[in-house]
Amino acid sequence: LTFSLLSVTLLVSFGSSMLYGYNLAVVNSPAVHIKAFYNATWSQRYGHGLAPSPLTLLYSLTVSIFALGGLVGSLLVGVLVERYGRKGTLSRSSVLVLLAGGFMGFSRELGSPEMVIIGRSITGLHSGICLSVVPLYLGEIAPKNLRGFLGLMPSIFICLGVFSAQILGLPELLGEDRFWPLFLSVVVVPTSLQLLLLHCFPESPRYLLIERNDVCGATKALCRFLGTHDVQNVIEEMKEEQRSLSSIEMVSVWQLLRDRSVRWQTISVVVVNAGMQLSGIDAIWFYTNAIFKNAGIPVSQIPYTTVGTGAIEVVAGLIGCFTIEKLGRRPLIITGFCAMGICSAGITVSLLLQTALPWMRYVSVTCVVGIIAGFCMGPAGVPFLMTAELFTQSHRPAAYIVGGSLNWFCNFTIGFIFPFLQMSAGAYCYLVFCGVCLLVALYVYLIIPETRNKTFMEISLIFA
């Protein structure tokens, strides 16, 4: 593990991946203040406030538009990484966050709820690009024995992003009504640092050699990342992959879906990425305060309970990162989904019984913590890592488009319908998440092989 590898991993994780986690959770604590702003603005414009249902709909749109932006961003990944490279795409996408921060930061001054919604959609666009490009970049620069460790580093920063939003959302910090525009626009700080420093690091060696045929540039990049001039074995492995793909151009999404030789890899990416979002984790992150309120936690204690769950997320992410190379990908992701499924069922049971047994509210909190810990330990980062590992260079960008677009579509679906699902089904809505988690865990157990410490060509041969 060289200084260059660790530095660039920390930089792109901090400047890109962390923003995804932050934007997932940032709308949780200021929900009351944002709704009040929407209501007051509507009243100034039209002479009357919004009824509860339209206000819930408008706020649900604010929450879920982030995912729609992410969906668009994920669809652009293939074009961007082919034209600008992995590092180049990350640098250029940083400008989007600066634009979004301006929209959200000045929205109240200009009396414009539309600016909040536009800003949220632009941050989603950035996250949609980076959520695929960061693991793609790290997966290509990392040696095979460190691919799991470096590949899960972004998931730790996603958890840190959620935790940061929970900390800053406390009433003593930015949780007051006057601070919520600043709270939403803090994202410009990490991305500015990335924009300043990322040019100091090389492009992905695999991109340079296999797609640009730049052997000299790839050799220099490898020497920088690996800290040694003895990189000939790695260059030969890349050339072997290049020769095997010499008659194959970069495939489109449609070609990927029709390609029988990678059918099971494609199905696996679809199942794991869709399952990751349909597991209910985004419902937990978007609406943590509402869930704890329904569980009977006193309103004054909810922000601090939420921060406690955020601290556990970070610890669980660290456990996953430091054990993935010892345990492998499959055990982590199976254990994570099983834990989430069991805890989702536990929330249903505790909510149904809490009227008769008031202490069951603490069981609800424990189950929420269990869902978050199970997610951060494996499902948070492994699907993106596996997408890089299951495909060769020609199919990888298209695979990220498929996985990323499904990920964001399901994210939007959960973010938008969860409040209405909760109103109609009550405590039973969590049983849907339980079923999804257990089915995904069963699929991974039966179908997906272990990819730890194997080259991309070896993994392709296992599936073949």
Side-chain angles (χ1 to χ4, degrees):
L1 181 63
T2 63
F3 178 75
S4 290
L5 269 177
L6 185 59
S7 299
V8 75
T9 302
L10 293 174
L11 179 63
V12 298
S13 298
F14 175 71
S16 293
S17 301
M18 192 172 83
L19 305 189
Y20 169 66
Y22 186 88
N23 284 307
L24 279 177
V26 73
V27 289
N28 180 43
S29 59
V32 174
H33 308 313
I34 295 173
K35 286 179 180 179
F37 166 65
Y38 287 179
N39 209 22
T41 306
W42 196 272
S43 183
Q44 288 172 5
R45 288 182 184 178
Y46 304 108
H48 60 86
L50 283 163
S53 292
L55 185 60
T56 300
L57 182 64
L58 189 59
Y59 186 71
S60 293
L61 178 64
T62 305
V63 171
S64 54
I65 198 74
F66 174 70
L68 274 187
L71 176 59
V72 174
S74 67
L75 294 173
L76 297 174
V77 165
V79 175
L80 293 174
V81 296
E82 190 176 347
R83 178 175 299 179
Y84 301 116
R86 284 59 168 147
K87 188 192 82 168
T89 299
L90 290 174
S91 295
R92 286 167 173 80
S93 65
S94 298
V95 179
L96 293 170
V97 180
L98 303 180
L99 182 63
F103 270 106
M104 295 186 292
F106 292 103
S107 58
R108 188 169 61 181
E109 295 297 320
L110 299 175
S112 175
E114 295 86 356
M115 290 177 68
V116 180
I117 296 171
I118 292 170
R120 285 281 294 169
S121 66
I122 296 173
T123 56
L125 181 65
H126 170 265
S127 290
I129 295 168
C130 294
L131 205 60
S132 293
V133 178
V134 169
L136 176 61
Y137 182 46
L138 297 182
E140 290 185 356
I141 68 173
K144 62 183 181 181
N145 62 309
L146 290 174
R147 215 161 50 217
F149 173 74
L150 297 182
L152 277 197
M153 195 70 75
S155 70
I156 292 177
F157 277 84
I158 290 172
C159 297
L160 279 171
V162 173
F163 185 49
S164 301
Q166 291 166 341
I167 288 284
L168 292 175
L170 290 173
E172 295 84 353
L173 297 174
L174 301 181
E176 293 185 13
D177 180 45
R178 60 195 173 118
F179 289 133
W180 68 259
L182 175 63
F183 186 28
L184 295 182
S185 58
V186 163
V187 289
V188 301
V189 177
T191 203
S192 299
L193 185 65
Q194 177 181 283
L195 196 58
L196 288 171
L197 299 179
L198 191 56
H199 71 277
C200 300
F201 297 94
E203 181 55 83
S204 160
R206 303 187 80 86
Y207 169 77
L208 292 173
L209 193 148
I210 297 175
E211 294 185 37
R212 288 287 175 258
N213 206 27
D214 182 1
V215 179
C216 181
T219 304
K220 288 180 181 178
L222 276 173
C223 292
R224 174 79 183 280
F225 283 132
L226 302 184
T228 177
H229 292 286
D230 184 19
V231 296
Q232 196 56 38
N233 288 340
V234 186
I235 291 289
E236 286 303 318
E237 185 249 314
M238 290 184 194
K239 286 183 175 178
E240 181 187 348
E241 184 176 341
Q242 187 187 40
R243 284 191 293 270
S244 72
L245 301 172
S246 58
S247 60
I248 305 173
E249 295 182 355
M250 302 300 290
V251 304
S252 66
V253 171
W254 180 241
Q255 290 170 323
L256 176 73
L257 296 175
R258 294 183 63 189
D259 191 342
R260 290 176 176 270
S261 66
V262 292
R263 178 160 295 175
W264 279 108
Q265 290 99 310
T266 306
I267 293 172
S268 298
V269 165
V270 168
V271 169
V272 175
N273 278 276
M276 179 171 71
Q277 299 300 339
L278 296 177
S279 65
I281 187 62
D282 286 316
I284 299 292
W285 274 335
F286 286 150
Y287 302 106
T288 308
N289 286 13
I291 291 169
F292 284 157
K293 185 178 179 181
N294 290 339
I297 303 298
V299 174
S300 59
Q301 296 178 18
I302 286 176
Y304 307 98
T305 309
T306 302
V307 168
T309 65
I312 292 167
E313 290 170 25
V314 178
V315 173
L318 287 169
I319 291 171
C321 187
F322 286 101
T323 58
I324 188 168
E325 292 300 351
K326 292 183 179 180
L327 299 178
R329 283 65 160 148
R330 291 177 77 248
L332 277 182
I333 199 165
I334 291 170
T335 303
F337 273 113
C338 286
M340 293 168 73
I342 292 167
C343 289
S344 294
I347 291 179
T348 298
V349 172
S350 60
L351 289 177
L352 291 173
L353 295 179
Q354 73 178 26
T355 304
L357 303 169
W359 56 267
M360 290 299 284
R361 72 181 65 170
Y362 302 109
V363 176
S364 296
V365 174
T366 304
C367 289
V368 168
V369 169
I371 290 173
I372 291 172
F375 179 77
C376 293
M377 198 176 295
V382 174
F384 302 108
L385 173 62
M386 287 175 63
T387 304
E389 291 184 330
L390 297 183
F391 294 90
T392 53
Q393 195 83 5
S394 60
H395 292 69
R396 202 171 289 134
Y400 268 106
I401 292 172
V402 171
S405 57
L406 263 174
N407 195 306
W408 285 102
F409 178 75
C410 295
N411 182 311
F412 170 78
T413 303
I414 293 297
F416 191 75
I417 70 169
F418 179 73
F420 303 100
L421 182 65
Q422 199 175 33
M423 284 191 286
S424 60
Y428 294 102
C429 67
Y430 297 97
L431 292 180
V432 177
F433 304 139
C434 171
V436 169
C437 290
L438 297 180
L439 286 173
V440 174
L442 181 64
Y443 177 88
V444 174
Y445 177 77
L446 295 175
I447 301 296
I448 300 180
E450 181 55 64
T451 56
R452 176 169 56 106
N453 212 22
K454 293 181 174 66
T455 67
F456 297 125
M457 293 299 290
E458 288 170 345
I459 295 165
S460 293
L461 288 172
I462 291 172
F463 268 100

